[in-house]
Amino acid sequence: MVIPMADIQNIFNKFLENKPIFANRQVLTISFTPREIPHRDEQTNELGRILAPALKGGRPSNIFIYGRTGTGKTCLAKMVTSELEKAAHINGFNVKTLYINCKMKKSADTEYRLLAGLSREFGYDVPFTGLPTDQIYNIFFKALDSESQTVILIIDEIDTLVQKTGDEILYNLTRINEDLKNSRLTIIGITNNLDFIEKLDPRVRSSLSEEEIVFPPYNAIQLQDILRQRAEIAFMPNVLEDGVIEKCAALAAQEHGDARRALDLLRVAGEIAERKLKSKVSIEDIDAAEDKIDVDRIIEVVKSQPKQSQAVLWSILNLEKRYIETSDILDKYKEICVKNGLKQLTSRRISDLINELVLFGILNSKVVSRGRYGRTKLISLNINNETEEKLKKMLGQIFLC
Ligand SMILES: Nc1ncnc2c1ncn2[C@@H]1O[C@H](COP(=O)(O)OP(=O)(O)OP(=O)(O)O)[C@@H](O)[C@H]1O
Ligand SMILES: [Mg+2]
């Protein structure tokens, strides 16, 4: 179907004529760093108190920060260290903060990459690969100790680093102060993986968590405050109908008090209202936003999975059955591997991949009794029709069925 040019112009005109909903949409995205962080006074004071020795050229203790997703860990650590740098500068001391997010691919998937990236932050020119590990350590050490300074290294999503590279690197980093002559290194490790610290090597654990700060989830009232503060800058006056902020806060509070989720709901609801050319954001827009965010999240998770995991999911989607036995999945998977020239993994590995998809909330699994035939595991999809269609479309572009 060809849409006539006049109709397209009409769509644009309607959009332009409509009164804008947003005054500054970016305020509701993750790229925005708020100046004030309400309901985190205790954590702000605690972090400030621990880091304060850097203002007189001392070495603050290493700090381990943990709390569930969206509880303000990253934004608070960045805000406090940036204020610390400023205050130290005024006091005539040199404080430098390095921030690394270990979930970001390429920055921290090997010890080499991490140390090379950090050395580059000090202006050292390091090749992207090729040097032996002890040499890259020496370069980083030299860079760090090149002047009198306190370096605060924020290792965000630190559990991912250990998963990818082991804990040797943390062991070495926490010992580095013993050899530094001019500088001092303080590590702030951040994670939302609450069992991570339990599993860590006790030697690393004790040096990494000289101090610990816990970020509890926000409750609905606290989330309302956070949302109101942002909404004031993000939206045009009076575009939010009564109850909109309260509903976003209530939904996010049900889901472990996640401020990111609350802000996302509000932004996406605004975008939906804008697309519908409405002049106000209403409660129904939040319901629609919730669905959209869930679909987008699953699509993103599947996109980031290795090809073999996608092939397993593609097999399940192609079986078109409500409850599926693992043996059926294996048969379909083999067929798909042949058609797509993929190496076939063992059934053990396939089982692991299925379990991962269950953990992501994309599949459900239940064990049922088959009387004298024993017990069997049944797998089913745990997504709505819209998500299923989108996944089929996306994976259909990767695989032949
Ligand atoms: N108290 C607060 N006031 C204002 N905005 C906040 C507050 N807490 C969190 N936010 C906002 O919520 C979003 C999530 O916060 P942040 O990234 O700091 O969470 P996190 O604890 O690091 O989560 P994760 O463990 O998933 O990385 C950000 O956009 C941040 O600006
Ligand atoms: Mg974070």
Side-chain angles (χ1 to χ4, degrees):
M1 191 182 73
V2 179
I3 303 178
M5 212 59 97
D7 287 1
I8 298 174
Q9 287 304 335
N10 219 357
I11 295 173
F12 291 161
N13 284 339
K14 272 201 183 137
F15 185 87
L16 289 171
E17 276 162 19
N18 200 48
K19 277 209 232 118
I21 294 249
F22 288 105
N24 183 354
R25 180 194 320 252
Q26 194 251 342
V27 169
L28 296 174
T29 63
I30 43 162
S31 59
F32 178 81
T33 313
R35 279 252 194 88
E36 278 169 34
I37 308 185
H39 301 295
R40 282 295 173 245
D41 290 355
E42 204 182 298
Q43 288 74 12
T44 311
N45 291 338
E46 181 87 357
L47 191 56
R49 181 186 61 73
I50 301 167
L51 292 177
L55 296 172
K56 291 187 179 166
R59 185 191 86 84
S61 303
N62 292 332
I63 307 160
F64 191 71
I65 293 181
Y66 58 98
R68 300 189 82 154
T69 189
T71 51
K73 302 181 296 297
T74 301
C75 79
L76 192 100
K78 282 187 169 174
M79 189 273 277
V80 174
T81 47
S82 137
E83 293 301 313
L84 179 81
E85 277 184 358
K86 280 187 226 158
H89 188 73
I90 294 170
N91 244 16
F93 284 96
N94 196 3
V95 172
K96 184 175 168 68
T97 306
L98 303 178
Y99 173 85
I100 173 137
N101 184 339
C102 305
K103 273 240 170 88
M104 301 297 275
K105 282 192 185 126
K106 299 207 168 113
S107 54
D109 51 357
T110 63
E111 202 173 348
Y112 187 99
R113 283 222 171 107
L114 179 89
L115 292 170
L118 293 176
S119 308
R120 271 184 224 114
E121 297 259 348
F122 289 102
Y124 279 59
D125 192 16
V126 188
F128 282 92
T129 51
L131 300 179
T133 314
D134 56 344
Q135 211 166 325
I136 188 82
Y137 254 110
N138 286 340
I139 295 177
F140 172 65
F141 184 88
K142 232 170 96 188
L144 189 63
D145 213 23
S146 60
E147 55 182 300
S148 169
Q149 58 187 346
T150 303
V151 174
I152 315 279
L153 171 59
I154 304 178
I155 310 183
D156 207 348
E157 318 275 0
I158 192 169
D159 50 306
T160 322
L161 176 72
V162 174
Q163 229 174 47
K164 288 185 198 162
T165 70
D167 51 20
E168 182 79 13
I169 184 162
L170 292 180
Y171 182 78
N172 292 333
L173 286 175
T174 52
R175 294 284 176 288
I176 210 164
N177 282 299
E178 291 163 14
D179 299 320
L180 291 171
K181 300 268 178 314
N182 307 308
S183 64
R184 299 144 297 272
L185 177 70
T186 290
I187 299 175
I188 302 183
I190 305 181
T191 184
N192 57 28
N193 179 340
L194 305 187
D195 342 301
F196 164 74
I197 195 102
E198 303 297 326
K199 290 190 201 134
L200 211 57
D201 177 328
R203 294 169 310 164
V204 179
R205 178 181 172 167
S206 66
S207 25
L208 193 62
S209 54
E210 290 168 335
E211 298 274 359
E212 289 187 3
I213 306 182
V214 183
F215 280 53
Y218 296 113
N219 63 32
I221 305 292
Q222 294 171 330
L223 288 170
Q224 284 179 24
D225 287 343
I226 294 170
L227 287 172
R228 275 206 191 91
Q229 190 193 46
R230 296 279 183 103
E232 242 168 57
I233 337 171
F235 290 101
M236 298 302 282
N238 305 321
V239 300
L240 298 185
E241 277 184 4
D242 285 350
V244 163
I245 298 256
E246 288 77 0
K247 174 138 188 186
C248 289
L251 287 174
Q254 276 165 23
E255 263 191 58
H256 55 254
D258 176 348
R260 187 182 297 113
R261 173 89 177 173
L263 290 162
D264 280 350
L265 278 168
L266 193 59
R267 189 195 76 248
V268 176
E271 287 167 356
I272 289 172
E274 187 178 54
R275 219 162 293 147
K276 288 194 203 149
L277 303 177
K278 288 167 50 176
S279 54
K280 285 191 179 250
V281 184
S282 60
I283 304 254
E284 300 87 73
D285 298 323
I286 303 168
D287 295 327
E290 201 181 17
D291 290 345
K292 182 168 185 316
I293 291 171
D294 288 344
V295 175
D296 291 352
R297 181 188 72 84
I298 289 178
I299 301 285
E300 280 313 305
V301 167
V302 174
K303 256 191 206 158
S304 67
Q305 290 309 295
K307 200 156 182 194
Q308 286 286 355
S309 167
Q310 293 177 342
V312 172
L313 183 59
W314 181 238
S315 315
I316 295 169
L317 288 167
N318 275 289
L319 283 165
E320 306 276 356
K321 262 167 72 179
R322 178 93 184 87
Y323 293 105
I324 314 167
E325 289 190 26
T326 317
S327 57
D328 290 340
I329 302 177
L330 283 174
D331 290 345
K332 192 74 186 170
Y333 164 79
K334 281 181 191 152
E335 211 181 281
I336 281 169
C337 284
V338 172
K339 279 195 190 138
N340 290 278
L342 264 183
K343 180 173 164 261
Q344 284 180 27
L345 299 181
T346 59
S347 36
R348 176 75 205 268
R349 276 295 293 137
I350 302 300
S351 255
D352 290 345
L353 292 176
I354 293 175
N355 289 340
E356 265 175 41
L357 291 167
V358 171
L359 281 180
F360 286 130
I362 298 169
L363 300 179
N364 258 329
S365 102
K366 65 174 178 182
V367 177
V368 291
S369 162
R370 285 272 159 95
R372 64 194 170 96
Y373 298 107
R375 289 148 70 80
T376 183
K377 190 153 113 178
L378 292 179
I379 304 295
S380 56
L381 285 167
N382 187 30
I383 48 179
N384 62 22
N385 291 346
E386 191 192 345
T387 318
E388 188 174 339
E389 286 316 309
K390 284 203 173 169
L391 280 179
K392 278 185 179 162
K393 205 165 150 202
M394 181 183 95
L395 295 174
Q397 288 169 352
I398 305 177
F399 299 106
L400 299 170
C401 59

